[in-house]
Amino acid sequence: MIVEPEEGKTLNFIEQIIEEEIAAGKNGGKVHTRFPPEPNGYLHIGHATSICLNFGLAAKYNGACNLRFDDTNPSKEDVEFTDAIQEDIKWLGFQWDGPVRYASDYFQQLYDWAEQMILEGKAYVDDQTAEEISAGRKTITEPGVNSPYRDRSVEENLDLFRRMKNGEFPEGSRVLRAKIDMAAANMLMRDPIMYRIIYCSHHRTGDRWCIYPMYDFTHGQSDYLEGITHSICTLEFEIHRPLYNWFLDQLTTTEYRPRQIEFARRNLNYTVMSKRRLLELVQKKYVSGWDDPRMPTICGLRRRGYTPESIRMFAEKVGVARREIVVDMALLEYCVREHLNKTAPRVMAVLDPVKVVIDNYPEGETEYMEIENNPEDVNAGVRKVAFARELFIERDDFMEDAPKKFFRLTPGQEVRLKGAYIIKCTGVDKDAGGNITLIHCTYDPESRSGSGTEASNRKVKGTLHWVAATDAIEAEVRLYDRLFKDEDPAGHKEVDFKEFINEDSLRVLKGCKLESSMRRAKPGDRFQFQRLGYFCVDPDSTDGQLVINRTVSLKDTWQKMNK
């Protein structure tokens, strides 16, 4: 089925290819994609955009999308990663077609195909070391040199390959190579390795196998076995496409044929997305783990408070292209602000509290102000917030000697307390070091706001958030910022990327004061702390101690840059 593009939107180049093939009747007009991660680490924001692309295309064309783990290297794989990847995909809002699939499901078929290629004289066992094989390939400006074992007989190759499978040879001592062309311009076509010996227990097949297929031999054949029509990869796999097609030519006989299509990777500034570098950050304790809220991993973004909707919005805005691009982190932050602005309940919290006493407010009295939960959501309703004689405001919302355009609290100046009264500062108490310990104010009893609005009989320029001292709960608040100070921390050849780590990427604030409605908050709940930003309850929270992560500030740099 061909889908008309939304009004104002054009088809990307992958959609154009798909629609041309549907119109031509290729593969019966079906669209069947797949997401094929290696279970050797956690997914990051780059994987998230690929997930959105593959599952999104399948949904758009009434097709299907498989989840298949490329589990061909047991020395680096773990069930921890397969479980985490499945959780991430579901959290993003997608469901794969049928059961979870694994390349290891096809190990026997791949082995049988390898024997078939040996019998047809298209593969041979090579006894050279990895260094000798690499040297024999030469360079792109000179043809490779045939292996001294390239012309072994079919019988000898078959015997050696079966003995490799039976565990008769040391690890690394022999490989199976495809016999293609040692003079090919594409270096990957110079007799690529199909199988190598690895003595390592596999997380699914145990010790049944001690030889494992290489990615290039596995991937296209797995696509073929699963009925994949469009194998969508990032641009670095473009050079692999001739080999993808060559293996299919040798082993497939039906009219159905998967097609590999490459798109450009979307890099994000102020971060790294190499699994190796992310693993280094975890192992060397630069971060607390894969789900550290400063990490670009999906689980890290989830813990920080990002929503599935915001990540899907980000993937949509970034789009699909043939040219590699660097995406500004501000766009990702814009997307989460856009979604949370519509969905996050408003809460009052004071992160750096200083106490205020309203001297003319009755002692021992508490009244409850009705404050709207979310002005962007007409169904969000209101909540009752306690107001009393003593309360907390932000320390930087008061200045004893303020400049002319300081519209917050200062001696003799009035401000409104959000959803409550207008107050005026009359003086301060200080400790022996000259630090302000208490701010004295008076209030205007006739200035109370009504039902969450600021509709009293008079107005002032400044409005402050606050928390009643009698009703406040304490929390630890973690202020997260970008992990790196440099836009491209991995792009400096002479400098280790870790040299650009931002020492201020995490600040922990103790003794923060939150309104009492936060007693009901659970890990994962998201809020807007008014005037401060968007925050999320961290899993480290306990019954006696809330731990809150800042997701993102209220400041939106991306929208300003792109007006």
Side-chain angles (χ1 to χ4, degrees):
M1 181 184 75
I2 295 179
V3 181
E4 290 296 322
E6 296 176 27
E7 187 175 349
K9 288 185 66 175
T10 58
L11 297 175
N12 64 52
F13 79 95
I14 296 177
E15 291 168 338
Q16 289 174 359
I17 290 171
I18 290 174
E19 298 208 355
E20 288 168 3
E21 293 185 346
I22 291 173
K26 183 180 177 182
N27 296 327
K30 293 193 309 178
V31 174
H32 199 153
T33 61
R34 83 291 169 269
F35 178 63
E38 296 176 72
N40 62 358
Y42 286 77
L43 301 184
H44 54 59
I45 186 66
H47 296 112
T49 55
S50 180
I51 291 168
C52 292
L53 175 60
N54 279 288
F55 283 92
L57 287 170
K60 180 171 184 175
Y61 295 102
N62 293 327
C65 183
N66 291 1
L67 169 61
R68 180 177 72 241
F69 287 103
D70 176 26
D71 56 342
T72 56
N73 188 355
S75 64
K76 295 184 178 180
E77 297 159 1
D78 196 287
V79 69
E80 171 192 353
F81 301 131
T82 63
D83 291 346
I85 289 168
Q86 291 176 67
E87 181 183 358
D88 287 345
I89 294 171
K90 289 179 179 177
W91 178 78
L92 283 170
F94 299 107
Q95 179 59 53
W96 48 88
D97 182 66
V100 176
R101 295 167 170 84
Y102 298 83
S104 54
D105 293 338
Y106 314 123
F107 277 177
Q108 185 60 55
Q109 178 62 76
L110 291 167
Y111 176 83
D112 292 344
W113 272 333
E115 283 206 354
Q116 175 186 325
M117 289 183 63
I118 291 171
L119 289 170
E120 293 174 355
K122 297 174 181 175
Y124 63 96
V125 174
D126 195 341
D127 297 1
Q128 293 184 103
T129 65
E131 293 76 14
E132 289 170 335
I133 291 173
S134 179
R137 288 200 174 103
K138 297 296 184 181
T139 68
I140 58 173
T141 59
E142 55 183 334
V145 177
N146 286 349
S147 164
Y149 306 100
R150 197 174 194 267
D151 295 324
R152 275 175 160 155
S153 68
V154 167
E155 294 74 19
E156 186 180 6
N157 280 316
L158 193 59
D159 174 66
L160 288 171
F161 187 52
R162 288 174 176 172
R163 290 168 65 191
M164 285 170 60
K165 178 178 74 74
N166 293 335
E168 295 185 26
F169 304 122
E171 185 169 306
S173 62
R174 285 179 169 82
V175 294
L176 182 71
R177 297 177 70 178
K179 188 183 290 188
I180 305 180
D181 180 5
M182 288 300 292
N186 185 332
M187 299 288 287
L188 291 177
M189 300 295 284
R190 296 184 183 183
D191 290 10
I193 296 172
M194 295 169 58
Y195 272 87
R196 73 282 206 206
I197 302 170
I198 300 177
Y199 290 107
C200 183
S201 186
H202 190 280
H203 69 101
R204 293 190 70 242
T205 62
D207 297 322
R208 180 184 173 191
W209 298 92
C210 63
I211 57 170
Y212 291 92
M214 299 294 289
Y215 170 86
D216 282 318
F217 180 60
T218 306
H219 194 66
Q221 317 326 307
S222 299
D223 285 345
Y224 174 77
L225 290 168
E226 292 179 9
I228 302 303
T229 58
H230 301 89
S231 182
I232 299 168
C233 309
T234 46
L235 205 56
E236 67 264 31
F237 289 97
E238 182 176 31
I239 195 172
H240 294 250
R241 190 180 350 127
L243 187 52
Y244 180 98
N245 291 330
W246 187 87
F247 279 125
L248 288 173
D249 289 341
Q250 314 314 308
L251 300 170
T252 61
T253 56
T254 63
E255 290 185 5
Y256 151 73
R257 176 76 170 231
R259 175 176 180 176
Q260 178 175 306
I261 305 172
E262 307 85 20
F263 70 98
R265 190 186 290 271
R266 280 74 62 92
N267 297 310
L268 195 63
N269 64 5
Y270 292 102
T271 191
V272 294
M273 288 195 288
S274 153
K275 281 186 181 179
R276 177 180 60 80
R277 291 190 175 101
L278 293 176
L279 179 61
E280 188 176 353
L281 291 173
V282 172
Q283 290 179 334
K284 294 187 177 179
K285 310 286 187 193
Y286 288 97
V287 293
S288 61
W290 287 98
D291 67 343
D292 187 298
R294 293 166 293 181
M295 291 278 273
T297 53
I298 296 176
C299 58
L301 293 169
R302 179 165 65 241
R303 183 173 179 180
R304 185 159 174 166
Y306 276 73
T307 63
E309 294 86 350
S310 65
I311 293 176
R312 296 200 301 267
M313 184 196 305
F314 173 74
E316 177 70 19
K317 287 184 176 297
V318 169
V320 178
R322 285 282 297 169
R323 182 174 59 85
E324 193 164 297
I325 58 173
V326 177
V327 183
D328 197 315
M329 175 74 79
L331 173 58
L332 180 58
E333 294 168 346
Y334 164 82
C335 291
V336 74
R337 282 191 196 94
E338 279 290 287
H339 186 243
L340 290 179
N341 183 50
K342 296 179 177 68
T343 61
R346 274 47 170 175
V347 169
M348 288 199 288
V350 177
L351 304 190
D352 185 14
V354 61
K355 185 174 280 189
V356 170
V357 60
I358 304 174
D359 292 313
N360 65 333
Y361 191 88
E363 289 192 41
E365 183 172 319
T366 300
E367 57 184 312
Y368 289 88
M369 307 299 181
E370 280 195 347
I371 300 180
E372 58 194 345
N373 288 323
N374 188 339
E376 300 294 324
D377 181 358
V378 295
N379 299 313
V382 297
R383 68 192 186 283
K384 292 184 181 296
V385 179
F387 183 89
R389 188 171 190 265
E390 293 186 353
L391 47 87
F392 296 103
I393 66 170
E394 296 288 350
R395 190 169 294 275
D396 65 5
D397 275 341
F398 176 80
M399 188 176 290
E400 194 172 11
D401 184 16
K404 186 176 181 180
K405 292 189 177 181
F406 185 79
F407 298 127
R408 288 170 279 170
L409 192 61
T410 190
Q413 186 164 292
E414 291 184 321
V415 296
R416 176 173 292 284
L417 297 177
K418 171 71 177 176
Y421 297 102
I422 293 173
I423 62 171
K424 179 192 287 187
C425 174
T426 58
V428 297
D429 293 346
K430 299 182 180 181
D431 62 18
N435 301 302
I436 295 172
T437 58
L438 186 66
I439 301 171
H440 290 273
C441 292
T442 58
Y443 86 115
D444 176 0
E446 303 300 319
S447 64
R448 177 171 171 169
S449 297
S451 300
T453 72
E454 312 262 300
S456 67
N457 60 344
R458 62 192 187 88
K459 299 183 182 297
V460 292
K461 289 186 176 180
T463 299
L464 307 184
H465 62 279
W466 52 275
V467 174
T470 54
D471 205 46
I473 61 173
E474 284 204 355
E476 174 186 305
V477 175
R478 299 170 180 173
L479 300 180
Y480 289 101
D481 202 347
R482 296 171 182 178
L483 185 56
F484 294 96
K485 296 177 288 188
D486 189 84
E487 287 195 33
D488 184 15
H492 304 268
K493 293 183 180 180
E494 305 303 321
V495 184
D496 189 295
F497 77 101
K498 298 187 296 300
E499 293 293 318
F500 298 103
I501 286 179
N502 178 10
E503 300 85 356
D504 296 321
S505 62
L506 170 59
R507 288 194 297 130
V508 179
L509 306 181
K510 304 281 189 179
C512 302
K513 308 295 184 180
L514 279 56
E515 69 173 67
S516 61
S517 66
M518 289 294 291
R519 284 191 176 93
R520 299 186 294 274
K522 306 181 299 296
D525 287 350
R526 306 174 185 92
F527 303 90
Q528 185 197 97
F529 287 178
Q530 294 194 292
R531 300 177 63 228
L532 299 176
Y534 295 97
F535 292 77
C536 176
V537 182
D538 190 84
D540 285 347
S541 297
T542 64
D543 289 339
Q545 176 69 59
L546 268 181
V547 178
I548 308 290
N549 298 329
R550 181 172 66 185
T551 305
V552 67
S553 67
L554 290 177
K555 185 179 180 181
D556 183 1
T557 56
W558 184 83
Q559 190 175 44
K560 289 179 181 178
M561 288 189 300
N562 289 275
K563 277 187 176 179

